[in-house]
Amino acid sequence: MEKGGPITSLLSGAAAGLSVDIILFPFDTIKTRLQSKQGFFKTGGFHRLYAGLGSIALGSAPGAAVFFTAYEATRQAMDNHVQKNTRLQSMLSDMTAACTGEVVACGIRVPVEVVKQRAQVTSSGTVNVFVKCLREEGIVGFYRGYKSTVLREIPFSLIQFPLWEFSKATLAERQNGSITPWQSAWCGFFCGGFAAFTTTPLDVVKTRIMLAQKFDNDAQGRIIPIILTMYKKEGIRSLFTGALPRTFGISCGGFIFLGMFDLCKMLIGNSLL
């Protein structure tokens, strides 16, 4: 196995995904409850902030591992077939890799997200939420919000990952061609926060779809009508509900996730030398 190969990406992504999701889970719970139709305090307030952690513990490592494996493989393939002579070409390569990674990884992430968010806003445990969803909606129920999730994640990654790679490359040019995982983590912090804030409306819509009851209009997953309805009834601010905890959480998440990924890549790569 070569340094930086697919197994390295798989293991590094798994470690990064599990670390960030467990550490920042309470912020995600607060954000989900703020975005819920029922309101923050009716869905639990500051109580049981780790509700739904079971689904994340099982799903975050595989989801992140699949994402980074696809991301790195796509970047490597484009490096082999496309000459990246300019920064723009490099960014287009990073954007393509990020989109590929998100589409593949959402096959794992969405069922995990559905169970997690429903557990966050009810008193039911993760297992009970899983069984109820399976009994009432079948397998399809676990993919409620797949389209909205992909449409949220792709713009997010189109912003975050090219900026992350660009900022790392810029730093590397000033430091004889290399940066530390610590510096990579700070690049992830700022790029993640910027991407998080700008894509908050898509995140709000995704949350509304996933939390909707089976016969609620929102459950149909029609993104544009939901955005228009929220704008007309609740104003523009409703589309940025939870923007502060989301931006703060994902900034910290970018620091941990991307810094941990590069750290694990370095450690695993060094162990193979």
Side-chain angles (χ1 to χ4, degrees):
M1 180 173 65
E2 66 180 17
K3 182 178 179 180
I7 301 301
T8 300
S9 298
L10 187 77
L11 295 175
S12 301
L18 190 60
S19 299
V20 70
D21 282 339
I22 290 178
I23 292 171
L24 297 179
F25 194 84
F27 293 103
D28 184 72
T29 300
I30 291 171
K31 183 268 300 182
T32 298
R33 291 173 179 175
L34 284 169
Q35 293 176 348
S36 171
K37 267 188 174 181
Q38 289 86 355
F40 179 69
F41 291 104
K42 287 185 178 180
T43 53
F46 292 104
H47 299 288
R48 299 176 63 249
L49 293 180
Y50 276 94
L53 181 63
S55 61
I56 284 295
L58 291 174
S60 64
V66 167
F67 170 81
F68 270 117
T69 301
Y71 176 75
E72 293 284 313
T74 304
R75 290 188 75 224
Q76 185 63 48
M78 296 196 72
D79 285 345
N80 294 337
H81 296 93
V82 179
Q83 289 188 342
K84 298 192 293 185
N85 298 321
T86 66
R87 282 285 172 83
L88 177 60
Q89 289 173 317
S90 294
M91 292 187 74
L92 289 174
S93 174
D94 296 334
M95 291 166 74
T96 302
C99 289
T100 303
E102 291 296 354
V103 171
V104 173
C106 278
I108 296 174
R109 286 179 182 168
V110 171
V112 171
E113 189 83 354
V114 168
V115 174
K116 179 204 71 174
Q117 291 201 323
R118 292 183 184 183
Q120 286 174 329
V121 298
T122 66
S123 58
S124 302
T126 300
V127 174
N128 290 334
V129 170
F130 176 86
V131 172
K132 181 180 179 182
C133 182
L134 184 63
R135 184 176 63 246
E136 295 183 355
E137 302 178 59
I139 297 297
V140 175
F142 292 107
Y143 285 90
R144 165 100 67 81
Y146 178 84
K147 181 171 65 175
S148 61
T149 302
V150 170
L151 291 177
R152 177 199 67 174
E153 295 293 353
I154 286 181
F156 177 85
S157 292
L158 285 176
I159 298 169
Q160 182 187 39
F161 282 92
L163 284 178
W164 180 55
E165 298 288 359
F166 175 80
S167 58
K168 290 198 301 177
T170 302
L171 276 176
E173 286 180 358
R174 299 177 180 178
Q175 299 177 176
N176 300 319
S178 65
I179 65 170
T180 66
W182 178 257
Q183 291 171 317
S184 174
W186 279 111
C187 290
F189 179 90
F190 292 110
C191 297
F194 179 74
F197 182 81
T198 55
T199 57
T200 295
L202 295 174
D203 184 61
V204 173
V205 172
K206 186 269 305 178
T207 300
R208 291 285 179 99
I209 292 171
M210 286 187 171
L211 295 182
Q213 298 298 314
K214 185 176 180 180
F215 299 106
D216 194 318
N217 287 334
D218 289 352
Q220 298 177 25
R222 295 182 296 177
I223 297 169
I224 300 301
I226 292 174
I227 291 176
L228 293 176
T229 299
M230 290 183 65
Y231 175 73
K232 290 177 181 178
K233 291 185 176 181
E234 305 172 52
I236 189 69
R237 291 182 62 180
S238 67
L239 294 171
F240 286 89
T241 304
L244 184 60
R246 172 174 163 80
T247 300
F248 176 74
I250 291 181
S251 293
C252 296
F255 182 93
I256 299 168
F257 186 55
L258 299 175
M260 179 68 75
F261 177 73
D262 274 354
L263 175 63
C264 290
K265 274 184 67 177
M266 183 186 71
L267 294 176
I268 295 171
N270 289 340
S271 70
L272 298 173
L273 295 177

